[in-house]
Amino acid sequence: MSEEKIVRRRVVTKGISDSRTNDAKTQSQYQPYKDAAWGFVNHWYPALFSEELEEDQVEGIQICGIPIVLRRANGKVFALKDQCIHRGVRLSEKPMCFNKDTITCWYHGFTFDLEDGDLTTIVGNPNDKLIGTTGITTYPIHEVNGMIFVFVREDDFPLEDVPPLSDDLPFRFPENSERFPHPLWPASPSVLDENAVILGMHRTGFGDWRIACENGFDNAHILVHADNTIVHAMDWVLPLGIVPTSDDAIEVVEDDQGPKGMMQWMFTDKWEPILENKELGVKVEGMNGRYYRTSVVLPGVLMVENWPQDHVVQYEWYVPITDDTHEYWEILVKVCNTPEERKKYQKRYDLVYKPLALHGFNDCDLYAREAMQNFYTDGTGWNQEQLVSTDVSPITWRKLASRWNRGIAKPARGVAGSVKNTSLIYKDTADGHRPGYKVRKIEE
């Protein structure tokens, strides 16, 4: 018999209930989440900032393995499947629009109505019997406060069943202040608020969206930010970690109407900040408390209240592109009621928030997520991970997302990234093009 020590899965016996252990029974409750490498469909996602789509401009993106083309015409934004029914060409690669009502495939001239996606004509074959009998899927749009949101639906998802955008956005305040009270900071603004100013960016992350999303509210990952410039510049007390002290440290929200998600009761007696590890001689030395609270709602939207300053809230989306890339949206929202307040907020964003928070602080999250990606790439990592008490947060989220998502995404036929060893991928790599969110247009 081998004398090699047997390594066993850790069993937590103190401070955490059995219901939180990540055994086979627990894992079975989030199998749909484990199946959602390409994301959740039939949900609202940010598509572009309004300034990225000017009048008559056409842009192609990919969300949840679905190619989408957006065009602004007469001030209104339209979204259609970016894949011609004829032979699968992406319309956005070489935009062709003969009028304000249609978009045309530049290859063979198939022309589609912007409103309903119907095939209205074919440029060089205007009498063909196919005209008027088919078309491409359209996607609802909601544009608000400088952001364009698209409802990414399956082809047969009924338009009359599309929920309001607010159902896929974080909990709003002050209407939820009584439910989620906290005396340490003012009510957080929303992207839907009147006079809300949204500043931020989006960039491609190289890893699965689930890895990125869980990083956002992982209360043990704070360690990766210990040496960030903004932490030391502000002399913040940023804990080494935050551990749950009771089984009700997280409130799950599953109301009939509104967002489905979870709120973490941070900076209450339900969570304990760890400020020192005596065994390692590590101690937090900051002087100023930066009290914040994280919550997450479907389809994967993080809210960090009171961050990085009072009266400001940070939202993050981890928009699936493929099963191993996502578009990382980072925005800061503040209500500004006068031009002077807007100007002051813009300056603060340009000089402090963007370089030190969205880049300096969040850049650490990007490389931390990439560090985990290989472990989960083949799908077995979800079964091999050995979790601890702080991981109650991702476990709770996985169960919730499995119960309330509106559909598991599967890549549309013929989309970028569905096959990893194509000649086009090799060509793009050799030409120095990274995988990305937007379609790279054909250059003549």
Side-chain angles (χ1 to χ4, degrees), residues 296-314:
V296 61
V297 302
L298 280 163
V301 193
L302 176 75
M303 175 170 65
V304 188
E305 298 172 68
N306 204 41
W307 184 271
Q309 203 159 345
D310 288 353
H311 302 284
V312 177
V313 62
Q314 178 170 308

Side-chain angles (χ1 to χ4, degrees), residues 83-311:
Q83 195 174 59
C84 184
I85 58 171
H86 181 214
R87 300 185 68 179
V89 170
R90 293 201 68 162
L91 310 178
S92 63
E93 285 188 305
K94 190 178 179 183
M96 180 175 286
C97 301
F98 289 99
N99 55 45
K100 292 281 190 177
D101 301 318
T102 61
I103 186 169
T104 297
C105 178
W106 52 272
Y107 202 151
H108 298 103
F110 281 54
T111 300
F112 304 94
D113 184 86
L114 291 176
E115 286 279 2
D116 56 24
D118 288 351
L119 177 65
T120 61
T121 189
I122 302 172
V123 175
N125 190 0
N127 297 316
D128 194 271
K129 293 181 179 179
L130 191 63
I131 296 169
T133 68
T134 187
I136 53 179
T137 303
T138 59
Y139 305 97
I141 289 289
H142 189 133
E143 186 171 13
V144 59
N145 287 328
M147 289 187 69
I148 300 169
F149 291 88
V150 59
F151 187 81
V152 182
R153 67 186 181 107
E154 295 169 296
D155 293 337
D156 59 353
F157 188 91
L159 288 173
E160 59 268 23
D161 290 343
V162 174
L165 172 61
S166 57
D167 280 10
D168 286 348
L169 290 178
F171 311 116
R172 295 189 67 182
F173 297 92
E175 59 200 62
N176 280 294
S177 293
E178 185 175 344
R179 185 175 192 176
F180 303 121
H182 216 297
L184 294 177
W185 55 76
S188 297
S190 165
V191 299
L192 299 178
D193 285 351
E194 185 178 358
N195 295 327
V197 177
I198 298 172
L199 300 175
M201 60 189 183
H202 59 94
R203 46 184 167 162
T204 299
F206 298 94
D208 184 79
W209 74 275
R210 295 166 297 181
I211 302 301
C213 183
E214 292 181 7
N215 162 265
F217 55 88
D218 170 9
N219 294 316
H221 94 283
I222 308 172
L223 183 64
V224 306
H225 298 296
D227 292 326
N228 280 152
T229 299
I230 193 170
V231 174
H232 292 274
M234 302 295 189
D235 206 15
W236 282 343
V237 178
L238 198 66
L240 301 173
I242 309 176
V243 299
T245 60
S246 64
D247 281 346
D248 59 349
I250 296 173
E251 181 168 342
V252 175
V253 179
E254 301 175 287
D255 300 342
D256 291 339
Q257 302 294 325
K260 306 293 192 295
M262 67 182 211
M263 175 68 75
Q264 303 198 102
W265 287 103
M266 299 167 69
F267 296 99
T268 69
D269 57 4
K270 298 176 183 180
W271 290 89
E272 177 188 359
I274 304 301
L275 302 177
E276 183 178 9
N277 186 306
K278 293 183 179 179
E279 182 175 349
L280 298 176
V282 179
K283 185 176 182 180
V284 174
E285 300 291 349
M287 297 293 292
N288 302 318
R290 179 73 262 156
Y291 302 107
Y292 63 90
R293 182 171 60 183
T294 59
S295 57
V296 61
V297 302
L298 280 163
V301 193
L302 176 75
M303 175 170 65
V304 188
E305 298 172 68
N306 204 41
W307 184 271
Q309 203 159 345
D310 288 353
H311 302 284

Side-chain angles (χ1 to χ4, degrees), residues 9 27 375 380-386:
R9 182 178 299 276
Q27 291 183 35
F375 185 73
T380 61
W382 307 100
N383 302 324
Q384 299 301 318
E385 57 190 17
Q386 298 189 37

